[in-house]
Amino acid sequence: MGRSTLVETYCEQHKEISYVIDGKLHTSIFDMWIKYTNGEEEYIEVKYENELIGV
């Protein structure tokens, strides 16, 4: 699937989701939602490096 590089619209902190890991409920808000002119959509979550490696 080839992604169009043409952005139709975007929104910061567009959607909140809830999910369960190890029996515990968590929530997260995606940092960015992008809709491309070809109709594809993408949600992006941005993390600092120390959040990814536990430093």
Side-chain angles (χ1 to χ4, degrees):
M1 174 173 19
R3 176 173 295 135
S4 170
T5 57
L6 299 176
V7 173
E8 181 177 316
T9 190
Y10 67 93
C11 182
E12 295 179 21
Q13 299 193 341
H14 174 71
K15 185 172 186 163
E16 181 176 342
I17 62 167
S18 297
Y19 55 95
V20 177
I21 296 179
D22 295 330
K24 295 180 182 177
L25 180 64
H26 302 269
T27 59
S28 182
I29 299 174
F30 287 104
D31 293 312
M32 181 69 67
W33 167 77
I34 302 170
K35 182 176 182 183
Y36 297 95
T37 56
N38 67 357
E40 291 184 33
E41 298 180 31
E42 179 176 24
Y43 288 93
I44 298 173
E45 180 70 18
V46 178
K47 295 289 184 201
Y48 291 104
E49 183 178 11
N50 65 344
E51 292 176 326
L52 297 175
I53 59 175
V55 174

